[in-house]
Amino acid sequence: MYPRLPHVTGYLTEHVAEDDFVTLEGYRARGGWLAAERALREMSPEDVVDQVTASGLQGRGGAGFPTGQKWSFMPSDPDGPSYLVCNADESEPGSFKDRLLLERAPHKVLEGILIGAFATRAEKTFVYVRGEYSRAADVFESAVEECRTAGILGRNALGSGFGHDVVVTRGAGAYICGEETGLLESLEGRKGMPRKKPPYPAQVGAFGRPTTVNNVETLAHVPHIVANGPEWFRGLGTEESPGTTLFGVSGHVSRPGLYELPLGTRLDEIVFEHAGGVPGGRKVKAVIPGGLSMPALPAGQLDVPMANESLRERGTFLGTGGIIVMDDTTCMVRVACVTTWFFRDESCGQCTQCREGTGWLHKLCERIERGAGEDADLDVLRDVSASMEGQTICAFADAAAWPVQGFLRHFREDFEAHVRLAKCPFPASFEL
Amino acid sequence: MPTITVDGRQVRVEEGRTILQALDDAGLLMDGVDVPHYCWHPGLAVDGSCRLCQVEVEGLGGLQIACNTPVADGMVVHTTSDRVRDARAGVMELLLVNHPLDCPICDQAGECKLQDYAFEYGAAGARTREPRRALQKRVPLGPTIVLDQERCILCRRCVRFCREVTGTGELGIANRGDRSVIETFPGVELDNPYSMNVADICPVGALTTRDFRFKVRVWFLEERPGICTGCARGCNVWLGVAHGEVQRYTARRNDRVNGSWICDAGRLSYREIAAPDRLRTPLVRGEDGVLRSAELDVALDAATRRLRELIDAKGPGMLAALASAHLTNEDLAALRRLLDRLGVDAAGLTLVMGEGDDLLVHPEKGANAAGARAAGFGDPAPILERLRGGGLEGLIVLGHDLLHPTLLGSPDALDDLATLIVLDTHRSELERVADVVIPGRHLAEKGGTLVNAEGVVQEVAAAVEPPFPATAQAEVLDRLAEALAPRLAQAGGDG
């Protein structure tokens, strides 16, 4: 039995418990590859882009950019090859949704890839799989091989005349290679350092060619949109954020795991009803709603729909939908320590603010946790994180600054207590 | 041409340029419009990583880096707003978080962009109490350059120089985040003919040349414009002068000639100026055949007498002149005047040919070869032929390039000359056979105009005085012409 099956399933995760779903035969037996056949044989690339645009699908990789719009940036009459990249470098702490899709629904992802490639006129797709996801890469490679043999991929994909191939490449375990241009650098064999924009990947992407980079889950939605139409998709989720998504819940909850639920499902519903709340009679202290880079919310602010338009009002974002729950024994300064340590470790180091800021934030948090902080350090934390925000090549510095701002905004008393007592007042919290 | 507005000033810009490039094109960058920057360099591709050049562009949310924001007609840019000022102060504070602040012992102090910009754009106080990163202070990257990893601000100019300009790619950044350090790749040294440019473009004291390191505090240097005399490129250099001596050459940007670079050999050729083998005194061969130092007047008298005797006895047809390609147009004009007075036609250019490359180094090893050719000093082969065959009685030689193996080689062929007058900057084998040797000045000591291989005429002024009495070649030649004039005029009258 696969150990990480979702607790709640929807159209994305239906059948993932069934072992033969990973095979071409099993996928076809459950209606798979029909959407791609329809798209490639009966629709034009513009039709597909229009459908996806009309569906309102937002990228599920963290930034929430409208997928149809992203596809529309691709040249319609390129003077050479264009590429699609499937970003399977899932490395946001708290996120583990793409792994399930890669391991249990590889053909669904591949079908989304083929449709997306057709829509963007890409002749090849590079699937960049996080290095640690070796099993996912193995499973996915088998599925690609099956599709090549069956003529689903190749010079005449699904007999449509559209030629396409898929190449699976493996990363080496850097968070920054999940940033789309850091990924492209790594894909091309260089150190994973994000590229300055302009040019954007749709102009100059992989190997100097126009490229679209889409997240695994994003592409997995596409066959369903093509099969059922944009209206069906818009019938799920909220008006601005349609569809379901895979929420990954971890931390101090009774039932950690994946939950496929419509966007707009309330955070407290996910934490308490679906995930069973905090075990051991303790209370929730903080919840990070969308992976480690998103600002945390305090217990009193969980009555928020999980969609960007609502979370934005609370000063945070959906991110990758990775929900991290922390109970009332948790020291938020320690959380800040591990968070800033992570971003310090993973910063590629190009941009001044990120390279120096991530290190400084971590050193500050650590000193405060040791009991050697002073009141002025809180202002420095605030100012340094402000200096990092919105000023760098990629969004990594924001991702490093936002959580610190969130901790300071909602849990300032934890920081102040450390300074006042000159020690950590949470002896029962997790060890650093 | 599009026009943009920067701080209320209209700037006409070329299509396709970025804001920073456009300001640089207009000659306004850091000279009218201050947009401080570290990673951007006019000779390198845009990097966009130091984030110091952020400016406000109306209509675009957030701050934009000027180095990578393309201009558009009607664009309105602000470089002095509060937001820009705060962002700059933020970057400066962060750049100093790990900097060792060892300015008192840093060679760059005084010409350091980190000092300058911290002073100009940074906050007065430091707020960090955290330990700074401890790294290697003296990493020899190769035969020419030493790296101080602690001072490095990771602008990657050096890395990009070696990748983009020399194509040698010796340097890279190892590790990640605030553990990043510049390193050579394993088993590789930073060793290419342009390696020392990385010290020029390093905005801080991280990269220093072994040649200049700890030689003199830069605030004692006066930087004077000069031209490298190594080859026909005529690269523009700054002469760093202290204690009356040229202490170094650094590249002086001239996009028509050498961009922002100079070769290592040219950079080190400043050593020729105060070299131990400089000719320090005039030399005259006595009756006994021994060459002895003499006053300039005595040497000029001796040269005048010998030339007069030779022409009287054999006529001007038995005399020739060979000019070095290092001479200025002014020197060459004076030589031409002298030869005209003497009625000498045989004049050639001793130009040494060597290796060239695709970047700057030109195979013609003389900064004014083109100028000399334009002044009528051409192929020396006929003169060399006559020298070897004993068909000449007298020779005036400027410089000693004719001793190069590709020209005359050994001075043996000059043994039979009745008269050999040498005007030179450095000692050479010519002393073995010369009758009169007169010291001249290096370009840095006299200035003048030169024509480079592309026909660009460049003028420089004298930057230093020679440390011993030496007279500019043009003046020596004019004095010779003057001394010879009355008699020759009379001889002409007789004819």
Side-chain angles (χ1 to χ4, degrees), chain A residues 62-356:
Chain A
F65 194 83
T67 305
Q69 197 184 342
K70 195 183 231 185
W71 288 0
S72 73
F73 296 149
M74 290 290 280
S76 55
D77 53 346
D79 57 357
S82 300
Y83 300 121
L84 177 66
V85 169
C86 172
N87 186 346
D89 191 59
E90 183 175 54
S91 14
E92 180 74 25
S95 298
F96 42 92
K97 64 190 177 65
D98 295 339
R99 179 182 190 173
L100 175 91
L101 294 171
L102 293 166
E103 291 183 359
R104 299 300 292 183
H107 281 279
K108 179 172 295 193
V109 178
L110 264 174
E111 189 175 4
I113 284 173
L114 188 59
I115 298 170
F118 175 72
T120 56
R121 297 174 172 81
E123 69 165 46
K124 194 174 275 184
T125 295
F126 299 96
V127 182
Y128 186 97
V129 186
R130 177 181 177 180
E132 290 87 338
Y133 281 10
S134 57
R135 175 177 174 158
D138 290 344
V139 171
F140 204 79
E141 269 170 353
S142 304
V144 169
E145 205 44 58
E146 277 185 301
C147 290
R148 282 197 191 121
T149 309
I152 295 172
L153 294 173
R155 289 192 184 160
N156 187 14
L158 289 166
S160 66
F162 176 69
H164 195 72
D165 195 20
V166 174
V167 178
V168 179
T169 59
R170 301 178 193 220
Y175 176 84
I176 197 61
C177 293
E179 195 277 345
E180 63 178 11
T181 57
L183 186 158
L184 294 176
E185 285 289 296
S186 173
L187 179 67
E188 292 179 17
R190 286 188 292 273
K191 199 169 172 179
M193 288 186 151
R195 298 173 180 172
K196 60 192 183 300
K197 298 112 194 160
Y200 292 89
Q203 301 152 344
V204 181
F207 307 101
R209 302 300 311 165
T211 301
T212 303
V213 183
N214 285 139
N215 163 262
V216 170
E217 186 198 323
T218 310
L219 290 165
H221 286 281
V222 170
H224 297 282
I225 292 167
V226 170
N228 302 315
E231 286 314 310
W232 162 81
F233 191 73
R234 284 196 167 279
L236 299 155
T238 70
E239 196 179 333
E240 281 181 54
S241 304
T244 65
T245 197
L246 274 166
F247 292 107
V249 187
S250 61
H252 297 140
V253 286
S254 300
R255 278 191 303 281
L258 286 167
Y259 297 82
E260 185 180 345
L261 293 164
L263 284 169
T265 306
R266 273 171 52 151
L267 181 55
D268 48 8
E269 182 192 326
I270 299 172
V271 171
F272 296 107
E273 290 174 32
H274 294 294
V278 176
R282 297 191 301 271
K283 290 192 170 65
V284 170
K285 181 170 184 176
V287 176
I288 298 172
L292 193 61
S293 59
M294 295 301 143
L297 290 170
Q301 291 197 26
L302 306 185
D303 55 337
V304 58
M306 288 292 282
N308 269 330
E309 66 272 16
S310 313
L311 287 163
R312 190 178 295 123
E313 288 171 20
R314 304 269 166 109
T316 187
F317 296 97
L318 180 66
T320 54
I323 296 166
I324 305 172
V325 181
M326 291 166 269
D327 71 19
D328 53 7
T329 63
T330 310
C331 168
M332 295 312 287
V333 178
R334 289 190 194 183
V335 176
C337 282
V338 295
T339 306
T340 52
W341 179 85
F342 175 81
F343 287 110
R344 177 187 186 180
D345 188 47
E346 294 289 349
S347 166
C348 85
Q350 307 187 72
C351 300
T352 303
Q353 293 94 326
C354 186
R355 179 183 66 241
E356 304 297 341

Side-chain angles (χ1 to χ4, degrees), chain B residues 85-227:
Chain B
R85 205 191 52 215
D86 289 350
R88 282 178 189 161
V91 174
M92 291 315 302
E93 181 174 38
L94 287 162
L95 279 173
L96 292 169
V97 163
N98 275 308
H99 192 76
L101 301 177
D102 58 347
C103 305
I105 55 156
C106 177
D107 243 13
Q108 192 86 357
E111 56 177 3
C112 173
K113 291 288 178 228
L114 198 59
Q115 281 185 332
D116 293 351
Y117 293 169
F119 181 77
E120 195 73 29
Y121 308 107
R127 293 192 291 176
T128 178
R129 294 172 44 201
E130 319 311 324
R132 291 157 194 275
R133 57 185 203 157
L135 296 166
Q136 297 291 313
K137 296 290 285 178
R138 278 170 297 276
V139 185
L141 293 183
T144 59
I145 296 288
V146 179
L147 164 67
D148 183 320
Q149 292 179 331
E150 289 185 347
R151 293 178 190 154
C152 175
I153 59 165
L154 295 158
C155 70
R156 304 194 292 188
R157 280 182 175 186
C158 55
V159 175
R160 287 176 287 139
F161 175 83
C162 292
R163 289 180 188 173
E164 297 169 16
V165 180
T166 60
T168 45
E170 298 98 331
L171 298 176
I173 293 183
N175 302 330
R176 205 161 64 180
D178 65 354
R179 284 89 58 221
S180 301
V181 284
I182 301 285
E183 266 185 13
T184 50
F185 282 91
V188 174
E189 283 201 320
L190 173 58
D191 186 8
N192 66 60
Y194 294 86
S195 64
M196 285 192 268
N197 286 294
V198 300
D200 280 1
I201 58 178
C202 180
V204 298
L207 297 173
T208 48
T209 66
R210 289 184 194 237
D211 179 62
F212 183 70
R213 217 169 135 76
F214 305 131
K215 199 164 161 187
V216 62
R217 304 292 344 209
V218 297
W219 49 82
F220 294 124
L221 289 181
E222 212 173 304
E223 298 283 355
R224 295 172 186 161
I227 291 171

